[in-house]
Amino acid sequence: MKEKQTFEEDIKNLQKIVDDLASGKLTLGESLKKYEEGVKLAQGLSVVLNEAQRKVELLMKKEGKFSLEDFEDKDSKE
Amino acid sequence: MERNSPDLFLSEDQKSRHIYSVSEITRDIQVILENTFHGLWVEGEVSNFKAHSSGHFYFSLKDKDAVLAAAMFSRANKDIKFKIEDGLKAVCFGKINVYSPRGQYQLIVEKMEPQGIGAQQLALEQLKKKLAKEGLFDPGRKRPLTLMPFSVGIVTSGSGAAVRDILQILKRGASCVDVILRSVRVQGESAAQEIAEGINDFNKFKKVDAIIVSRGGGSIEDLWAFNEEAVVRAIAASEIPVVSAVGHQINLTLADLAADIFVETPTAAAKIMVDKKNTLLADIDSFKHEMEFSVQELFASLNNRLATLRHSLKSPWDRLSEKAQLVDELSAALKNNMVNYLKLIKERASAYIQRLEALSPLAVLSRGYSLSMLMPETGIIKNAARLKKGDKIKTVLEKGSFLSTVEEVIKDERETDI
């Protein structure tokens, strides 16, 4: 998932936006643009963390080659 | 033999056969063992130690090749000063006893003396020292987990309780985390090799942010694989951060020491991920608030500046009419004051005039009185004694006056005096 790969970068960007906004050195236009950008980032990050889908797979190895199989996750299915 | 019925068909072999009942042979063994082995000392390593609620101790004594069951009854163990636990090497004094219902023999321990640490424990200490010397347990080697491990590899038994616990916790608390399981044996001969291979395979496979090496709780023997060199080296060599989660109560395993993070249960390993997720969500939330606050602050300060500017931008005309209004107000007040002042003056003046009028001699004359003055006009005559016959006097009336000459002076005639 793309958002997961860029998660750390997105968090860093968000932190920078927060710091920039707090510095008080931005114009109103710049501030509003950054604010919008920051809110979008924050929402995206929350969505990724709150995601309800997860995969449970089994790592198999045959003749040195890896493959993934579904893992029958009986107990936590309920 | 007398006991056998004389059977002609029995062979010589069969004729000499003595058949024991289980009880008989057990009793015979008991007699032999108990008479032979009493008041003896046995050296071994304590294993599978259990303190029963009755106060009796049950355990095994073992060495490299054999195991001997042992029991130490409460009467014998109540004065023991040291703690008996698995791995303890000890010398025990007692006797062999045969427990017929189970057909088992055991050492009834009367006295126990510790003998330093057991051989297995000693081997462990030696391995620990060696690996520590190589720096495998250095705190400086520990790497932190990624900000959020979205993909976690687990090396454990696919049918064990550990994987179930981890999946449960993750599902409930951090369902954003994908799990890849590498199922291995966690107990027995090949366990250490399989665990080590699992860790290495995840490093080749990549695609996971963290590896959890795990097993549910068990005895020191059950967890032994996590003390083996192969596992410890695989953990230390892993480029992916490793969380060791081996259920144990007493001692740390060497796997714990080598891992980047260690926790005491599989559940706790999963909770690390859940905590990370919750912390991040809270962080993101406070980021949102900080941004809102900054923007609100900016608006407030802009508003302030706007108000200041608006004031200093007032047109000269506005300011002139402001002043004109002030002048109007002041002059109105002034006018008001003047009118009042004049009125006051006027009132006071007329009061003076009235008083003056009342005091004027002319007012007296108008009521029929007159004034007389000695000529040549030396002042008003108030006392007749000052006059003499022949003085000329001038008398003033309301209208006109006349001159006359004194004929006679009359003193003290109050009735006629003015």
Side-chain angles (χ1 to χ4, degrees), chain A residues 4 8 14 18 31 35 38 45 48-59 61 73 75-76, chain B residues 147 164 167 171 175-182 197 201 277 281 284 287 290-292 294 298:
Chain A
K4 287 182 179 177
E8 277 194 43
L14 176 58
V18 171
S31 284
Y35 177 72
L45 291 166
V48 171
L49 288 172
N50 284 321
E51 203 196 347
Q53 286 298 321
R54 56 99 181 250
K55 278 185 284 185
V56 179
E57 290 166 308
L58 209 52
L59 179 63
K61 189 166 77 166
D73 179 13
D75 289 278
S76 59
Chain B
L147 197 60
R164 255 193 346 258
L167 289 177
K171 183 178 185 159
S175 51
C176 57
V177 175
D178 290 331
V179 175
I180 300 178
L181 172 70
R182 176 62 188 264
E197 195 186 337
D201 282 351
K277 186 202 101 176
L281 279 177
I284 290 167
F287 282 159
E290 277 176 61
M291 290 194 295
E292 258 160 48
S294 295
L298 182 62

Side-chain angles (χ1 to χ4, degrees), chain B residues 87-381:
Chain B
L88 176 79
K89 208 172 178 190
V91 178
C92 299
F93 176 80
K95 62 183 181 197
I96 293 294
N97 152 270
V98 172
Y99 184 50
S100 311
R102 283 187 193 276
Q104 284 177 345
Y105 65 94
Q106 57 185 354
L107 181 69
I108 303 298
V109 180
E110 297 290 341
K111 274 189 246 170
M112 185 193 272
E113 293 170 11
Q115 286 250 302
I117 52 175
Q120 204 175 35
Q121 208 62 32
L122 187 68
L124 175 65
E125 288 303 322
Q126 283 166 345
L127 178 61
K128 185 175 167 183
K129 243 177 235 164
K130 179 176 117 186
L131 298 177
K133 215 170 167 186
E134 285 181 40
L136 261 54
F137 307 142
D138 285 357
R141 291 179 46 107
K142 314 271 179 219
R143 291 145 306 176
L145 291 179
T146 51
L147 197 60
M148 185 64 217
F150 283 112
S151 179
V152 172
I154 306 177
V155 179
T156 190
S157 161
S159 57
V163 71
R164 255 193 346 258
D165 290 350
I166 293 173
L167 289 177
Q168 280 272 11
I169 298 288
L170 287 182
K171 183 178 185 159
R172 248 184 281 147
S175 51
C176 57
V177 175
D178 290 331
V179 175
I180 300 178
L181 172 70
R182 176 62 188 264
S183 185
V184 296
R185 261 172 277 190
V186 290
Q187 188 170 348
E189 287 268 306
S190 62
Q193 277 314 319
E194 286 189 25
I195 295 166
E197 195 186 337
I199 296 167
N200 294 335
D201 282 351
F202 271 120
N203 275 278
K204 284 181 208 147
F205 183 67
K206 305 196 190 296
K207 293 183 192 159
V208 292
D209 301 319
I211 300 171
I212 299 175
V213 179
S214 190
R215 190 205 188 287
S219 72
I220 257 191
E221 282 86 0
D222 292 342
L223 305 178
W224 202 256
F226 296 89
N227 279 324
E228 290 198 34
E229 192 165 353
V231 172
V232 179
R233 289 203 183 277
I235 290 174
S238 175
E239 278 169 32
I240 301 164
V242 175
V243 179
S244 164
V246 181
H248 49 71
Q249 284 97 34
I250 321 161
N251 294 313
L252 293 186
T253 63
L254 297 188
D256 290 333
L257 296 177
D260 297 291
I261 296 173
F262 83 85
V263 287
E264 292 192 348
T265 60
T267 303
K271 276 188 178 150
I272 293 177
M273 314 302 158
V274 176
D275 285 350
K276 278 193 157 281
K277 186 202 101 176
N278 289 336
T279 306
L280 279 167
L281 279 177
D283 284 351
I284 290 167
D285 224 46
S286 71
F287 282 159
K288 272 194 212 159
H289 283 126
E290 277 176 61
M291 290 194 295
E292 258 160 48
F293 180 75
S294 295
V295 169
Q296 273 167 9
E297 283 277 276
L298 182 62
F299 270 119
S301 86
L302 285 178
N303 249 335
N304 251 335
R305 269 173 62 200
L306 193 61
T308 316
L309 286 173
R310 196 180 278 145
H311 182 75
S312 58
L313 270 177
K314 262 188 186 166
S315 74
W317 182 250
D318 281 344
R319 267 188 279 171
L320 189 62
S321 55
E322 232 174 51
K323 298 274 190 247
Q325 196 178 355
L326 183 65
V327 169
D328 283 352
E329 277 166 16
L330 288 174
S331 57
L334 191 62
K335 201 169 144 198
N336 221 356
N337 278 345
M338 280 297 264
V339 168
N340 284 341
Y341 188 63
L342 288 177
K343 215 167 116 189
L344 188 71
I345 299 270
K346 218 165 152 188
E347 275 167 11
R348 269 191 209 155
S350 70
Y352 283 138
I353 288 165
Q354 272 175 15
R355 277 176 69 193
L356 275 174
E357 274 176 354
L359 290 171
S360 162
L362 296 175
V364 180
L365 295 181
S366 70
R367 298 207 296 273
Y369 297 101
S370 62
L371 300 167
S372 295
M373 285 164 285
L374 185 64
M375 292 302 287
E377 296 195 24
T378 53
I380 291 168
I381 302 160

